[in-house]
Structure formats: C-alpha cells, structure tokens
Amino acid sequence: MEDKTQAEISKMLNISRPTIVKMLKEAKIEKIVRIQIAEPRQTNAFLKDELALRHLLGIEDVKIVNVPSENRDIIDDRIGSATATYTANLLKSGGHIGFGWGRTLECFAEKVKTTNKIKDVEFIPLIGGLGTNREVNILSNALCEKVASNFPRSTVRYLYAPMIAANILTAQAFLDSKPLKTIFDKAKLLDLAVVGIDGELDHSSTIENVHATDSDAVTRGDIEDLRKNNAVGCICARFYDVGGTPCNTSLNQRVIAVNTATLKSIPTVVAAAGGKYKVDAIIGAARGKLFNVLITDEYTAKGILERLKPEDQ
C-alpha cells in the first residue's frame, strides 16, 4: 500500500473511497501500528475479507490473523495474542469485564500485558467450572484471576458452581443462590465480555470436558437431543442452531452461566474463535446476536465466506 493514493487503494481492494477514509481515521485513533509492518499481501487480503465478514455476519468488527497452518495449537495461540492486543484498547480503569472459558481464552490471558495505567477493574466469570482440577487454566474463574493480576487494585468475583448440573433442580438451586445471583446481576453491568465459541458436537470441548468430570451432567441422551435440535455450537455452554436459535433441551436448562439476554445486552462482546469445526458455530452465534466482534484465523474466515457466499457468485 506504500505510495498508493486513496483512489488506487479503493480500486485495488474494490472498496469505496469514503470507506478507505473511515478506515484510515479509525487506524489513527486506535494507533494500529501493526499495519505498517504487516506484509502487504496479507494486509490487502485481510482488509477485504474483514469488511465482507462484517457485512455478512452483521457485526461491528472482524480481525483476521495470519497462521502458517490449520494446527489447532497455533490457531489458538495467534487468535489469543490478537485478542489481547485488540482488547488492550478497550480496557479502562474502573471497568467491568467478563470472561467465558476455553483454550483460546487461556492463550489470550497469557498474552495480556501488565500495566499500571489501568486500575480498579472488576472481573466477572460468566460460567461455572468443572468437577475436578481438569484443565483448570481454561476455566472462567482462573482466566479472570490471571488477567486481573496485570492491573493494580483489580478484583475478581468467583463463581463456585458446575458448568452443567446433573439435573434441573440442582441447576435452579445454584441459580437461585445469593452468591450466583450477585454474579449474574453484575454481569448485566459489564462493559466488555470476551468469550470463546465451541464447535460441532463431535468435536465439542464442552461435551468432552464436562462428561470427563461428571458423566451424569452430559449423557448420550443429551447429545442426541442436541442433534435433534440441530445444534452447531455453543457459547458459555448454551447450545444453538445455525440460525442462532437456542436449543430447547434439558441440557440447556441445566447450564450455569450468563443467559443469552444478558450477553446480548453487553456493549462489546469479543468472540475469539477459530478452526474448521467452528464455521457454522460462528455463523449461528452471529445470527443470534451473541457477539459483535470476531477475532479468527484466515482459514476459518475463508470457510465462513465460502459458506455465506451468495449462490449467484
């Protein structure tokens, strides 16, 4: 893009000049210096795809990260790093931030930088945990604690409950308890939430981890019910179909997590997600208005674009 006029950039990317002007203005405000050091080939391609995904998914922003392969660990690491960079511009002293759970968010938490400029932040877990110490670093409480350690005088509100209860009565007892009511009331005041997106049932980390720690919490019957309801993925263990409609199952009634109405009310919900098994899950979550910022990898972005491409093209 070096030495190119706005007209030349507009023609090169097939983007209107007013859009170019707006993007340049936003880049200056956000102090996005990485554009200056990124490879031109990648920058050009990703700008166009990001704009296309914003339109097709109906969300406010999309950031696509470059990855050398579809290796899961690499994708999680790159998306996590990009999420840390993106949210650094959104954090403010006295803010209220909520976290979901998952491997990508663990990578995000590892990349958040310590600063004395942002203080007194309150961190809220958005979902319960697992029955044992299995994968503890990917859980909401641990993520809140990890990120909070980077900001002076910040606090964490802990959510002590399972991710999915074995029965509806137990789930309701947790949800009716004073500590959890306090947590979920605070969730309604969040400025920002960062969540992961789980994908297809056969590759669902939610089902895998919950079943491994409590086989009564997710049974074969639960999985069959989700299939019958055409579940494509979940956010904070709340499953939905590709249209974004919540699955009407017993399992969804036993989830101990922020409800979808509260999630939709949060001004900025950043979804950090990538991988070929998450294409429909990301589309469904966008249609359900469960997030408004997406950070994903180039392969997943391509998959979404291909899935949503108009039939006449």
Side-chain angles (χ1 to χ4, degrees), residues 138-180:
I138 68 175
L139 301 180
S140 194
N141 281 342
L143 293 170
C144 287
E145 192 172 69
K146 173 68 176 175
V147 178
S149 67
N150 294 286
F151 308 105
R153 301 200 304 267
S154 291
T155 57
V156 176
R157 303 294 179 178
Y158 292 95
L159 198 168
Y160 296 113
M163 188 177 294
I164 301 174
N167 58 70
I168 294 175
L169 287 177
T170 300
Q172 198 58 53
F174 273 110
L175 293 170
D176 288 340
S177 67
K178 186 175 180 180
L180 265 65

Side-chain angles (χ1 to χ4, degrees), residues 4-33:
K4 299 292 185 183
T5 66
Q6 290 181 7
E8 290 172 329
I9 295 173
S10 176
K11 184 177 180 180
M12 183 186 303
L13 300 181
N14 193 26
I15 300 171
S16 68
R17 287 188 64 182
T19 300
I20 294 292
V21 172
K22 181 181 178 182
M23 291 173 64
L24 289 172
K25 182 178 180 180
E26 291 177 351
K28 289 179 181 178
I29 293 174
E30 296 181 8
K31 299 180 180 179
I32 305 176
V33 296

Side-chain angles (χ1 to χ4, degrees), residues 2-297:
E2 188 176 355
D3 297 328
K4 299 292 185 183
T5 66
Q6 290 181 7
E8 290 172 329
I9 295 173
S10 176
K11 184 177 180 180
M12 183 186 303
L13 300 181
N14 193 26
I15 300 171
S16 68
R17 287 188 64 182
T19 300
I20 294 292
V21 172
K22 181 181 178 182
M23 291 173 64
L24 289 172
K25 182 178 180 180
E26 291 177 351
K28 289 179 181 178
I29 293 174
E30 296 181 8
K31 299 180 180 179
I32 305 176
V33 296
R34 65 183 177 87
I35 290 178
Q36 298 174 6
I37 61 174
E39 293 181 20
R41 178 191 63 79
Q42 295 172 2
T43 302
N44 294 354
F46 291 169
L47 281 172
K48 187 174 181 179
D49 288 348
E50 286 168 355
L51 286 171
L53 284 174
R54 286 191 202 182
H55 173 71
L56 291 170
L57 295 175
I59 59 178
E60 295 178 10
D61 202 5
V62 176
K63 297 298 179 185
I64 299 173
V65 299
N66 170 248
V67 291
S69 72
E70 294 186 78
N71 177 276
R72 173 179 170 176
D73 292 336
I74 294 175
I75 287 176
D76 286 346
D77 183 73
R78 294 289 179 88
I79 293 175
S81 181
T83 303
T85 299
Y86 188 94
T87 55
N89 295 317
L90 302 177
L91 294 172
K92 59 183 180 181
S93 293
H96 305 274
I97 315 299
F99 292 145
W101 78 294
R103 298 181 191 280
T104 310
L105 264 61
E106 179 186 11
C107 293
F108 150 74
E110 292 286 345
K111 300 297 175 63
V112 174
K113 295 181 179 179
T114 300
T115 176
N116 291 321
K117 295 181 179 179
I118 301 173
K119 305 174 182 179
D120 304 306
V121 182
E122 183 176 52
F123 292 89
I124 307 295
L126 299 180
I127 183 170
L130 301 172
T132 68
N133 290 330
R134 175 186 173 94
E135 302 284 4
V136 65
N137 290 333
I138 68 175
L139 301 180
S140 194
N141 281 342
L143 293 170
C144 287
E145 192 172 69
K146 173 68 176 175
V147 178
S149 67
N150 294 286
F151 308 105
R153 301 200 304 267
S154 291
T155 57
V156 176
R157 303 294 179 178
Y158 292 95
L159 198 168
Y160 296 113
M163 188 177 294
I164 301 174
N167 58 70
I168 294 175
L169 287 177
T170 300
Q172 198 58 53
F174 273 110
L175 293 170
D176 288 340
S177 67
K178 186 175 180 180
L180 265 65
K181 280 188 173 182
T182 299
I183 288 286
F184 292 130
D185 281 345
K186 285 183 174 292
K188 297 175 182 178
L189 304 176
L190 294 179
D191 310 301
L192 166 69
V194 183
V195 299
I197 298 180
D198 199 4
E200 299 172 6
L201 295 181
D202 290 338
H203 303 275
S204 170
S205 58
T206 301
I207 290 174
E208 175 189 351
N209 281 284
V210 174
H211 182 76
T213 57
D214 185 355
S215 59
D216 291 330
V218 177
T219 65
R220 290 184 179 180
D222 288 322
I223 297 172
E224 287 306 310
D225 283 346
L226 289 171
R227 293 192 193 282
K228 290 176 182 178
N229 278 265
N230 302 309
V232 296
C234 66
I235 288 181
C236 290
R238 297 193 181 278
F239 287 85
Y240 49 81
D241 63 23
V242 75
T245 302
C247 293
N248 184 21
T249 65
S250 167
L251 187 148
N252 261 7
Q253 297 178 56
R254 293 184 274 115
V255 172
I256 300 175
V258 62
N259 61 45
T260 53
T262 297
L263 195 61
K264 292 179 183 180
S265 72
I266 299 169
T268 302
V269 179
V270 178
K276 60 184 178 181
Y277 301 118
K278 297 186 179 184
V279 168
D280 284 344
I282 292 170
I283 293 172
R287 289 171 173 170
K289 308 297 182 185
L290 300 179
F291 68 90
N292 50 22
V293 175
L294 173 65
I295 301 180
T296 192
D297 65 278

